Structure formats: structure tokens, C-alpha cells
Amino acid sequence: EFVGAYEDGWLSPASEFTLGGGGPAAWVRLRGFVPELPGAPLGGGTLKVALPTGDVELPATIGSFDWLLPVGSADQLARLRLDFSSTTPLPNHDDRPVGGKLEWLEVFPSLPTYTFEFGKPTSARLACQGIDQDGWFAREATVQLPPFATAHEIVLTLEYPGWSEAKEMILRAHWPGLAAPAQITLVPGGPLTLRARFGPSATPRTLRLESAGDFPLAAPDPRRRAGRLVQMELVPAPTP
């Protein structure tokens, strides 16, 4: 069941969906895009997704989005509400108010993957802020980590360009329960790996990345970023 979504996939400013296949461990994949329309306010707002686990606020930038979000329902239904903060009428005398377009909506009984390709705009990723669709991240960025019943390790594969104005950059990773932040020095060259262990948790946690600085991307790209997250992998922690 759904309301607020048109038959051709365009999403009105607010829409609601009820799907089967929910449950405490279920996840939903939400894929679509925000169009670039001349003179429209799209691209600078947010997409708030209301789920049984709580509200998740996501960037609604121009281009594709592909999110994996925890359902956490007590029954076998998956309910979600989508609210775009920026909307605009469609052009060419269509005039329907939209915030984006839905391409795919799917419910999984559990998290379908533990490897997330942040460097690929077409790959599903966990809810995050401050990380662009191509993996470039700002001085402060966050990723929502899924709950785990046992200890796990997080492995981040990062890139730092040789053409940046700084020869190296300090990147720190924080999350609840970590005694001290994990840290890596980003230097130009091949892929860099940040690996850290985190304990079990019955609820989602937020991974926070903090960089000591940023730099301009190559022209004509106007962005300033601190580095690029290529991949994030969650793996069982080795037995001590």
C-alpha cells in the first residue's frame, strides 16, 4: 500500500509505504534520484525517512541515492514515510510537486550485505551524512552502523589524492563505546586501510569521521573535501 507516490515513480513532498516482509531484523533498500531542474530548489534539502526504528535524515542532493535502512518492526510489515524538505513542480506543464523519483523499493529479512562500495554511486550504502555519492567526504561525516550481536571489525578503504594542497591529513574515527578514536594519517598514493574493532550492540551506532582539514577538488569541481571513502566492510572480529 502507498500514498503520495505517482504511478510513474515521482514522489510528492510526503509519501508513505506499507510493504510485507518486515520484522525486527528486516532492512529496506530505497533507490531513486533527485533531478536537476533549472531554477528549482532541489539539491540543497534533506530526505527524512520515518521508520519503526526512528527517523533518519539523509541528504537529498542532485543525483542518485541508494540507501539501506533498518526496519525494526514488531510485526511482519515494513512501514516508511518519506518527507522531502525541498520540492518543486515538474516542468513542461506537468506541475506535479515532487522531491525526487523512486526507482526501487525492496525489503530484506536481514542486512543483505556487509560490504558497502561508497565509491560507486549505484551501490547501496548505509545512512550517512557528509559523504558524497562518489565517496568524497567532508571534514565531518557520519555513517549509521547496524546492530551486531557479537564483536565485529570495521575496515575502511580510503584514498587521498597526490594533487591536494596538503601532503598528509589526520583522520579520526569515533563511535560510542570506543575508549579512544581510531586514527590514520592519509598520505598520497595507493589505497589506505583503517581497521578497528567494536563490540556488540543491540541498537544502531553512529560512526563519526573527523578530519584535520580539507582541500579543493580538481577544477572545475567546486567542492572542498578531506578524502575519499572507497569501501566500508564489516567483518567478524578475530578471536583473541
Side-chain angles (χ1 to χ4, degrees):
E1 301 175 358
F2 64 91
V3 294
Y6 300 104
E7 293 183 355
D8 56 359
W10 287 109
L11 294 168
S12 62
S15 57
E16 297 184 24
F17 300 85
T18 302
L19 303 96
W27 286 71
V28 62
R29 183 179 185 182
L30 176 68
R31 189 180 74 199
F33 67 89
V34 175
E36 183 175 8
L37 301 175
L42 301 183
T46 60
L47 168 61
K48 185 175 74 172
V49 184
L51 296 154
T53 52
D55 295 349
V56 179
E57 189 169 282
L58 303 164
T61 54
I62 299 297
S64 300
F65 58 83
D66 197 343
W67 303 110
L68 281 170
L69 305 167
V71 175
S73 58
D75 54 22
Q76 296 304 306
L77 297 176
R79 302 177 183 86
L80 62 156
R81 175 185 170 95
L82 310 179
D83 288 281
F84 287 93
S85 64
S86 297
T87 61
T88 190
L90 287 173
N92 302 322
H93 308 290
D94 190 318
D95 294 333
R96 287 179 292 171
V98 302
K101 191 169 188 180
L102 180 65
E103 296 178 308
W104 192 266
L105 190 59
E106 184 176 5
V107 180
F108 300 92
S110 60
L111 186 62
T113 182
Y114 293 101
T115 301
F116 307 95
E117 303 288 347
F118 278 81
K120 296 181 180 179
T122 57
S123 180
R125 62 181 63 180
L126 299 171
C128 61
Q129 291 277 2
I131 305 175
D132 298 335
Q133 295 159 342
D134 54 4
W136 289 104
F137 56 86
R139 291 183 63 172
E140 294 185 3
T142 61
V143 182
Q144 181 177 289
L145 300 176
F148 278 108
T150 60
H152 272 66
E153 285 190 346
I154 182 170
V155 182
L156 303 179
T157 301
L158 305 144
E159 287 182 352
Y160 189 73
W163 39 257
S164 68
E165 58 191 22
K167 297 303 180 183
E168 63 181 38
M169 193 80 69
I170 302 297
L171 179 68
R172 295 181 176 89
H174 310 254
W175 57 82
L178 188 67
Q183 179 173 305
I184 187 173
T185 300
L186 302 179
V187 294
L192 304 164
T193 300
L194 173 62
R195 179 185 292 265
R197 181 186 177 106
F198 61 99
S201 175
T203 58
R205 286 173 289 188
T206 298
L207 167 68
R208 188 173 80 255
L209 301 177
E210 294 179 352
S211 177
D214 58 18
F215 54 86
L217 298 188
D221 196 320
R223 294 176 292 174
R224 291 188 66 91
R225 294 296 182 262
R228 187 166 183 254
L229 176 59
V230 178
Q231 183 188 85
M232 184 177 77
E233 187 177 8
L234 304 173
V235 297
T239 303

